[in-house]
Amino acid sequence: MTHDLGIVRLSEIASVLGYEVSVGLHPVGDAVRDKGQLACGRRFNALLSDRWRVTDETLLPGAGEQRAWDKLLRLVDATPHCLIGVDIESRVVDVQALVRRTRGRERDGQVDNILLVLADTDHNRRVVDELRASLGPVYSTGPRRIMAALRRGERLPGSGVFLV
């Protein structure tokens, strides 16, 4: 015996049980969904001096923590230590959500600076100033100063947002 359970009926049953139905559509094809982010990460890595040690997908400190830095940079032979948390975005969809996520990483990430690295696209170029303004003065370090420090293998002059 088969039952054809439509979305409306499934939603009604879920509601009675205290749930809601979520349906998503996903493109058929390449299974890698974060290709843009990975490409941006490779461009970012190409900027780095060999004095930086890079670890991908590093969990934030704390038991049971599920959030991760896309990249965690450690400056070789730095005393005291120098850690940079890197969050990579291929497309900024929601500035407020990104700011909230960044605030949580500031609180819990235990790093010296945070870099928000955005893919260099028309869309991201249009929203980058709004993102910087929303993040505030802590993220006002200019991209040229940050990139120069990354290339030289030196401590960053501050946290920031830049396009690659």
Side-chain angles (χ1 to χ4, degrees), residues 47-49 51-52 75 143-158:
L47 299 172
L48 301 175
S49 159
R51 292 198 62 224
W52 292 104
L75 190 56
R144 286 190 178 110
R145 291 182 65 205
I146 290 172
M147 284 194 241
L150 292 171
R151 285 187 172 120
R152 289 191 302 258
E154 299 173 352
R155 290 182 181 278
L156 299 188

Side-chain angles (χ1 to χ4, degrees), residues 25-41:
L25 300 174
H26 305 281
V28 176
D30 195 342
V32 178
R33 304 265 185 250
D34 56 356
K35 276 194 297 192
Q37 185 183 28
L38 294 172
C40 189

Side-chain angles (χ1 to χ4, degrees), residues 49-122:
S49 159
D50 60 1
R51 292 198 62 224
W52 292 104
R53 292 296 170 256
V54 181
T55 308
D56 293 330
E57 298 300 328
T58 303
L59 289 174
L60 272 66
E65 181 63 70
Q66 294 300 305
R67 294 171 296 166
W69 294 112
D70 292 319
K71 295 187 179 292
L72 183 66
L73 308 182
R74 289 179 178 84
L75 190 56
V76 175
D77 300 327
T79 305
H81 79 298
C82 178
L83 291 175
I84 310 299
V86 179
D87 194 11
I88 299 171
E89 295 291 325
S90 56
R91 181 176 174 83
V92 177
V93 176
D94 184 335
V95 169
Q96 289 179 330
L98 182 52
V99 169
R100 281 192 301 274
R101 186 174 75 216
T102 302
R103 296 291 182 238
R105 291 168 184 268
E106 289 171 353
R107 182 192 63 226
D108 303 329
Q110 297 181 12
V111 294
D112 300 297
N113 298 105
I114 295 175
L115 296 179
L116 295 178
V117 177
L118 311 179
D120 190 0
T121 65
D122 289 339

